[in-house]
Amino acid sequence: MFTSPSPGNAPAVSGEDEVSARDLHAPGRYDPAPSGRARGLFDAVLFDRDGTLVHDVPYNGDPAAVRPVPGAREALDRVRQAGLRVGVVSNQSGLARGLFGPEDLARVNARVAALLGPIDTWQICPHDEQAGCDCRKPRPALVHAAAAALGTVAARCVVVGDIGADMAAAGAAGAAGVLVPTPVTRAEEIAAAPAVAADLTGAVALILERERLFGVRTPNDTARTPDDTARAAGPRRGGRVLVARPDSAGDVFVTGPAIRAVAAGARRVVMLCGPRGRCAAELLPGVDEIIEAPLPWIDPDPLPVDREGIDRLVDQLAAAEIDEAVLFTSFHQSALPLALALRMAGVPRISAISDDYPGSLLDVRHRPPGGIPEVERALSLAVAAGYPLPATDEPVLRLRGDLTPPPETAEIADGYVVVHPGSSVPARACPPAVCGRIVAALTEAGHRVVVTGGPQEKALCAEVAAAGALDLSGRTDLAGLAGVIARAGALVVGNTGPAHVAAALGVPVVSLFAPTVGYGQWGPYRVPVVRLGDATAPCRDTRVTTCPVPGHPCLASVDPQQVVEAVGLLAAGKAAEGSAAG
């Protein structure tokens, strides 16, 4: 890997500015952006070159052959005007093949910059596929190097590219990704991408929209969207504020950054959660009190609705003496029944996301676009309600509390691999036989493996751990499980709560992700991750809880050797991050 000598490279990062991925999860680590720009979700956008910024000319060493894709200059100018840095991360194996030289590459890159404007850093992999280097995408070293050159970390960058290797490099680095398909992009790459835009203009618009929803206004941001019609006038100083996420543990975890945003402006935060999410609520920073209440319009196995139960809920809410409420929901849930109960309890100000007309039930009605990560969706509601995340905080998941693992792990050195085979939703669980083969493959590759699960999953975990793993099923509560994950080098898991625990701890994830819900919405957030599984399976976007396809093909197709390679890729990414920062 080398940094191109073309004009516009950023200066080296000084030691005092160096940060690591795990620093993102340490409160108070960040100061406002040094440029004077309000700190948003991102600091930089990193573009692939060929096929993304310019038309792909294989092994191009001729500046005269450089042709920007439509709208490229305007798109990059919008990025710069928004205060974001611009970088290029590009595989250039023509160097290794002898098809052009470094001087040719420099001239081509200079031509790109002449046509598209200044590029703040160029990061180039000069190797071919056989070199086994750490910088060739889908490996993440280019992303880490570009982030370091720009004075930031990968988790605060977006990678825009046209093939799956670009998205895989972004994920393994912990960066966001937007795929802009071309005729050569494979269908499975499109299906697996965290976000997809029709063209470069659309990709930049999506990035800036996510910034706007986080509360950052750009110079050209004059459009008013439906959620602006009831937005709070500015940052609020609240009293006793109720935040609600009456859902499962994973849903509670992804709401954590939004709850911290509310806590930064409230005197006291009272959290309403359901029985399935209480254990997660107890681990969230910013929560002062908890009200546990099952809600029949949210619970997957609801009790009948009766007047006695609703009266009891209203009385419970009235006794809490709430000054205002911010109601967090998933995209397919309604906040309006709870808003009605809160109105009956006398709560004077209520904010929620609602596509349905709320009448007088809501004071702040917010309508973000679909498809954005659930973490950002919740944060956008907090912003709309008048509670932006402080500049000294980061939009990442965090935990609090004693995360001491059980004594059985005391004899194992840090860096083991955790395999968590269970899931709160059966359709998202990897078949036990496949998980067992994954444990065997990891063990054979020299990894120490720990299997985790709840008391009800002991038989499952015993079967999976039989290949030589330490079985901790039923021996930890959620805080203890977090303690186990905190010491791990990686977690192998489906789309379930522990994936978000790992994200909150900065532990890399091999995500065995069933496509029943969108990966871009529900995948592990801002943590290095490798996604495995068939993203094109027939269950895609069905939201089913039980697999409707015989044989569970989306996850039964996972090759255990892919998991071994993914763990190795994540370890290489961690090393590359340290090398880039150092």
Side-chain angles (χ1 to χ4, degrees), residues 82-139:
L84 298 170
R85 308 294 294 277
V86 174
V88 171
V89 288
S90 179
N91 291 346
Q92 292 296 328
S93 63
L95 285 166
R97 299 171 190 271
L99 299 175
F100 55 81
E103 298 80 7
D104 301 313
L105 175 66
R107 286 192 290 269
V108 169
N109 287 347
R111 179 59 176 165
V112 173
L115 293 171
L116 301 184
I119 305 298
D120 297 307
T121 185
W122 292 84
Q123 299 296 330
I124 305 298
C125 171
H127 308 106
D128 61 19
E129 297 90 335
Q130 285 72 44
C133 64
D134 286 334
C135 53
R136 183 176 174 82
K137 295 178 289 185
R139 300 180 83 82

Side-chain angles (χ1 to χ4, degrees), residues 490 509-510 530-532 561-572:
V509 178
V510 179
V530 174
R531 177 186 183 174
L532 297 178
Q561 193 57 38
Q562 290 180 298
V563 177
V564 175
E565 293 170 358
V567 170
L569 178 62
L570 292 169

Side-chain angles (χ1 to χ4, degrees), residues 11-359:
V13 185
S14 65
E16 65 183 14
D17 291 329
E18 293 168 7
V19 291
S20 71
R22 295 209 184 199
D23 286 333
L24 286 166
H25 304 270
R29 176 62 181 84
Y30 283 89
D31 297 321
S35 65
R37 171 184 178 270
R39 179 168 287 278
L41 289 170
F42 308 116
D43 293 331
V45 185
L46 310 178
F47 296 90
D48 174 59
R49 195 191 77 178
D50 303 323
T52 301
L53 293 179
V54 299
H55 289 284
D56 187 12
V57 177
Y59 308 118
N60 182 30
D62 180 7
V66 172
R67 293 186 302 116
V69 302
R73 178 62 191 245
E74 293 80 3
L76 266 64
D77 282 345
R78 286 195 69 193
V79 172
R80 299 182 187 105
Q81 290 164 4
L84 298 170
R85 308 294 294 277
V86 174
V88 171
V89 288
S90 179
N91 291 346
Q92 292 296 328
S93 63
L95 285 166
R97 299 171 190 271
L99 299 175
F100 55 81
E103 298 80 7
D104 301 313
L105 175 66
R107 286 192 290 269
V108 169
N109 287 347
R111 179 59 176 165
V112 173
L115 293 171
L116 301 184
I119 305 298
D120 297 307
T121 185
W122 292 84
Q123 299 296 330
I124 305 298
C125 171
H127 308 106
D128 61 19
E129 297 90 335
Q130 285 72 44
C133 64
D134 286 334
C135 53
R136 183 176 174 82
K137 295 178 289 185
R139 300 180 83 82
L142 287 184
V143 179
H144 285 303
L150 298 176
T152 187
V153 291
R156 294 195 57 82
C157 297
V158 189
V159 176
V160 179
D162 64 317
I163 60 174
D166 299 315
M167 298 300 97
V178 181
L179 183 74
V180 181
T182 69
V184 303
T185 311
R186 299 196 302 269
E188 57 268 28
E189 294 176 327
I190 298 172
V196 179
D199 52 29
L200 195 60
T201 299
V204 168
L206 173 60
I207 293 165
L208 297 185
E209 172 70 357
R210 288 169 67 176
E211 287 278 280
R212 186 191 69 79
L213 289 166
F214 187 67
V216 176
R217 297 287 178 172
T218 63
N220 294 329
D221 184 10
T222 58
R224 293 180 61 84
T225 51
D227 64 284
D228 289 321
T229 60
R231 185 182 294 274
R236 291 179 57 79
R237 299 302 302 176
R240 286 176 60 85
V241 181
L242 180 135
V243 295
R245 189 63 195 258
D247 226 317
S248 67
D251 301 298
V252 171
F253 283 135
V254 298
T255 313
I259 292 171
R260 296 200 310 273
V262 173
R267 177 172 55 84
R268 195 163 181 82
V269 170
V270 180
M271 181 165 189
L272 173 66
C273 63
R276 297 176 300 133
R278 169 135 198 176
C279 56
E282 291 171 345
L283 296 179
L284 289 186
V287 175
D288 298 305
E289 302 175 29
I290 294 176
I291 296 175
E292 181 182 319
L295 301 185
W297 54 89
I298 297 291
D299 289 347
D301 298 309
L303 296 172
V305 176
D306 59 57
R307 179 167 181 170
E308 180 181 355
I310 298 300
D311 286 345
R312 186 165 54 249
L313 174 63
V314 171
D315 291 343
Q316 194 175 15
L317 295 171
E321 299 181 338
I322 302 300
D323 296 309
E324 67 174 291
V326 183
L327 311 184
F328 298 104
T329 53
S330 289
F331 69 97
H332 60 281
Q333 297 171 341
S334 174
L336 298 185
L338 180 56
L340 176 60
L342 286 162
R343 285 291 194 229
M344 296 173 67
V347 177
R349 187 175 190 270
I350 304 173
S351 303
I353 293 172
S354 181
D355 287 326
D356 295 327
Y357 173 62

